[in-house]
Amino acid sequence: GENVEQHPSTLSVQEGDSAVIKCTYSDSASNYFPWYKQELGKRPQLIIDIRSNVGEKKDQRIAVTLNKTAKHFSLHITETQPEDSAVYFCAPHTGRRALTFGSGTRLQVQP
Amino acid sequence: EPEVTQTPSHQVTQMGQEVILRCVPISNHLYFYWYRQILGQKVEFLVSFYNNEISEKSEIFDDQFSVERPDGSNFTLKIRSTKLEDSAMYFCASSVGPGRGNEQFFGPGTRLTVL
């Protein structure tokens, strides 16, 4: 099955700084790469995704970049705000029905 | 905006008891899923369901677990004889279709506590 790793496991930044979270995966058949945000006690929510025929996608302050050769993709958050504080999960998808979540990155944005 | 709903929000049960967790997927979605998240850990896939049958399950989904779509709106997860290690948040999700690009929408979760 898919082996998914995220780094770092925790990340603390000052408000206004950028944050980058990296996800590596093992299954070369993966073709869909979403990032989920989970606030404490809440459900995971999709914040951005990218497909394998695209190298980068941006939506306001968040972006995702994909390197299929190296089998990793990254979440970039610019101009971080306290409300960005949450746990972020990557969940690379092979086209099978299940999502395989990474272990999560706890982002803390210090005001 | 339509949402996946789950009941109850919190269930407390004694070890060995049966529990049924309920979900109402988004009405035009055809694929349904159960995931669990042990406190402080990652979200883990349990089972997916399509066309009134299980389409995929993980090694966690053993004989103690079962799923059912008893009517046109509900999707349930039954744990036959709960164990302490079943304590977790259980998320239901649904999607329009399978595979890439079909976002899975998650419900708010049911926190199961087994004593």
Side-chain angles (χ1 to χ4, degrees):
Chain A
E2 177 85 274
N3 185 31
V4 180
E5 294 188 1
Q6 272 183 247
H7 296 280
S9 56
T10 60
L11 180 59
S12 183
V13 299
Q14 290 295 124
E15 183 176 358
D17 288 350
S18 295
V20 181
I21 303 168
K22 184 176 178 179
C23 180
T24 60
Y25 59 94
S26 61
D27 190 344
S28 56
S30 294
N31 53 17
Y32 175 60
F33 306 93
W35 283 96
Y36 284 81
K37 176 183 180 182
Q38 187 179 32
E39 298 176 4
L40 189 64
K42 301 285 184 64
R43 73 191 83 188
Q45 291 195 299
L46 179 71
I47 56 170
I48 196 166
D49 56 16
I50 194 169
R51 301 183 188 190
S52 58
N53 58 344
V54 177
E56 181 174 356
K57 182 178 177 181
K58 191 172 182 181
D59 182 4
Q60 299 183 334
R61 295 188 299 107
I62 60 172
V64 54
T65 58
L66 171 65
N67 185 329
K68 279 216 78 178
T69 303
K71 290 191 278 189
H72 65 74
F73 62 112
S74 297
L75 175 69
H76 305 254
I77 307 174
T78 58
E79 301 171 34
T80 52
Q81 300 166 4
E83 51 266 38
D84 294 329
S85 297
V87 179
Y88 292 82
F89 293 96
C90 62
H93 200 199
T94 64
R96 292 165 64 230
R97 296 172 177 86
L99 294 173
T100 301
F101 282 81
S103 53
T105 296
R106 182 173 301 280
L107 174 65
Q108 183 70 44
V109 180
Q110 306 288 346
Chain B
E1 187 175 328
E3 288 190 332
V4 177
T5 60
Q6 289 184 243
T7 54
S9 57
H10 192 186
Q11 174 90 48
V12 181
T13 190
Q14 294 291 324
M15 189 170 57
Q17 295 297 303
E18 174 184 286
V19 294
I20 297 175
L21 310 183
R22 291 182 167 80
C23 169
V24 179
I26 294 172
S27 62
N28 65 331
H29 287 188
L30 301 176
Y31 292 81
F32 315 120
Y33 316 82
W34 283 102
Y35 293 85
R36 80 170 186 190
Q37 186 177 32
I38 295 170
L39 187 64
Q41 298 186 22
K42 67 179 179 180
V43 179
E44 299 175 291
F45 169 72
L46 293 177
V47 66
S48 60
F49 192 85
Y50 168 70
N51 199 26
N52 282 320
E53 61 182 23
I54 291 173
S55 52
E56 186 182 6
K57 60 182 180 179
S58 72
E59 60 273 13
I60 302 170
F61 194 88
D62 61 23
D63 292 344
Q64 294 297 319
F65 292 89
S66 62
V67 289
E68 192 179 29
R69 186 151 164 85
D71 53 43
S73 59
N74 289 282
F75 179 50
T76 62
L77 174 70
K78 181 192 290 186
I79 308 175
R80 194 164 298 120
S81 177
T82 50
K83 303 187 283 283
L84 295 176
E85 54 265 38
D86 292 328
S87 294
M89 182 75 92
Y90 288 80
F91 291 105
C92 173
S94 68
S95 64
V96 172
R100 71 185 184 117
N102 283 290
E103 180 182 352
Q104 293 186 19
F105 291 83
F106 283 76
T110 293
R111 180 168 299 283
L112 176 64
T113 302
V114 182
L115 302 175

